[in-house]
Amino acid sequence: GSGGLSLAPTTGFYLHPASALHDPGWGHPEHQGRLRALASALGRDLLTLHGHVEQPECGEAHVDDLVRVHTPEHVRRVRQACETAEAQQKIVALDPDTRVSSGSWEAAVGSAGAAIEAAAAVADGHIVNAFVASRPPGHHASPDRAMGFCLFNTVAVVARHLQATGRAERVLIVDRDVHHGNGTEEIFFGDDSVFYLSVHQSPHFPGTGASGDTGVGAGEGFTLNVPLPPGIPREEYRVQFRRALLAATTCLSPDFVLISSGFDCMAGDPLGGFSLKPADLHEMTREVMEVASDHAGDRVVGVLEGGYDPAGVGTGAVAVIRALAGLAL
């Protein structure tokens, strides 16, 4: 009830139990150990987080939520592949990188549902902000195809749900995964109600995200790509990130902010060439929160994307969640 709202924890941590069941195989970078590392790092930090962070139960997304972003054929294809994996008790490849197991449908739909619930709880004022440990990641999934380990585009599904339910009109998506979110860009490329900002390594997979790609039609100017070379000094990355955030919010004043929070931008990630430390992620999250405070009534939700050094995913997630909860690193 609203009576005790001021005493309520400010930050929600959402982890759908099915997310851990998605199994592309231990040899795969997006293996099940990523969430275990994240959960155990948070567990070690519980004393500090106690009273500041709560972990609500999660529901499922509905196919209606998915088809605001994806074609019905794509949703069916993913579901059928997961059913085949279950029937044959084996891992099924949708493309050379992107595989599903018997638990992948529940994981993908559960993660999307958790992210929708997190955003709704923030929009409705039950919590101030949230972090969603979603798995598999989402930002490479386009309207009609799975790729780059991603099945459904979780942040895009959340943005469209917020708009469809009247909880937000203008959404800013800040993508700091080391890879460009080609799927998110494609979904919103012609849209002036969602600003997509991506700071990513280039050249790198998937080869998209050139600085000249800024949107099309009504969406012209509502995509901002900041491709940066591998090995760029942390300080220079941070300057570029701040500058991009300012440019994005000058163009669109968001009433909700979503972070595609990949931890593969951190030093030591096997799939990335950046060198960010937990302190950088903490500060960058604070910078996004300042933007959300200025424009969006503090409404911000972070969603896990990549990050393939399990220890780094753990320390990175702790840094982000501490920032969201207003705690020092």
Side-chain angles (χ1 to χ4, degrees), residues 46-277:
L46 272 183
L47 277 177
T48 311
L49 299 178
H50 183 73
H52 299 274
V53 177
E54 66 175 19
Q55 185 173 353
E57 296 287 302
C58 304
E60 307 286 299
H62 299 284
V63 170
D64 304 355
D65 298 318
L66 302 177
V67 296
R68 288 194 191 98
V69 167
H70 297 287
T71 62
E73 298 74 44
H74 170 70
V75 176
R76 263 201 301 278
R77 245 192 331 268
V78 171
R79 183 163 210 159
Q80 280 164 353
C82 297
E83 285 168 357
T84 302
E86 184 159 23
Q88 302 179 0
Q89 285 303 302
K90 65 171 197 183
I91 291 168
V92 173
L94 293 166
D95 74 12
D97 290 324
T98 311
R99 307 176 193 163
V100 298
S101 66
S102 58
S104 298
W105 174 263
E106 286 81 6
V109 175
S111 284
I116 284 170
E117 281 182 29
V122 169
D124 298 346
H126 301 308
I127 49 178
V128 176
N129 54 39
F131 183 83
V132 186
S134 50
R135 201 177 152 265
H139 72 157
H140 296 306
S142 71
D144 60 356
R145 86 183 255 226
M147 72 176 279
F149 316 157
C150 303
L151 303 179
F152 301 123
N153 196 309
T154 307
V155 285
V157 168
V158 171
R160 288 294 188 229
H161 183 271
L162 287 168
Q163 291 177 326
T165 56
R167 288 181 165 97
E169 289 177 17
R170 299 174 309 283
V171 180
L172 167 63
I173 298 173
V174 180
D175 190 337
R176 59 177 181 212
D177 191 287
V178 77
H179 305 98
H180 177 247
N182 58 298
T184 314
E185 177 183 273
E186 184 181 330
I187 289 160
F188 300 115
F189 209 53
D191 190 331
D192 61 358
S193 71
V194 177
F195 194 105
Y196 177 63
L197 161 61
S198 176
V199 181
H200 53 271
Q201 182 178 321
S202 177
H204 205 24
F205 177 88
T208 49
S211 54
D213 295 342
T214 56
V216 68
E220 175 62 53
F222 289 83
T223 294
L224 174 56
N225 286 308
V226 184
L228 300 174
I232 185 172
R234 292 164 54 206
E235 301 72 27
E236 176 60 19
Y237 178 107
R238 293 284 309 280
V239 167
Q240 296 277 2
F241 183 82
R242 270 194 299 275
R243 190 179 293 159
L245 259 187
L246 181 64
T249 49
T250 304
C251 180
L252 174 126
S253 175
D255 46 30
F256 208 101
V257 182
L258 298 169
I259 306 173
S260 267
S261 189
F263 294 111
D264 42 12
C265 55
M266 294 175 71
D269 192 276
L271 299 191
F274 289 159
S275 56
L276 298 181
K277 300 274 195 271

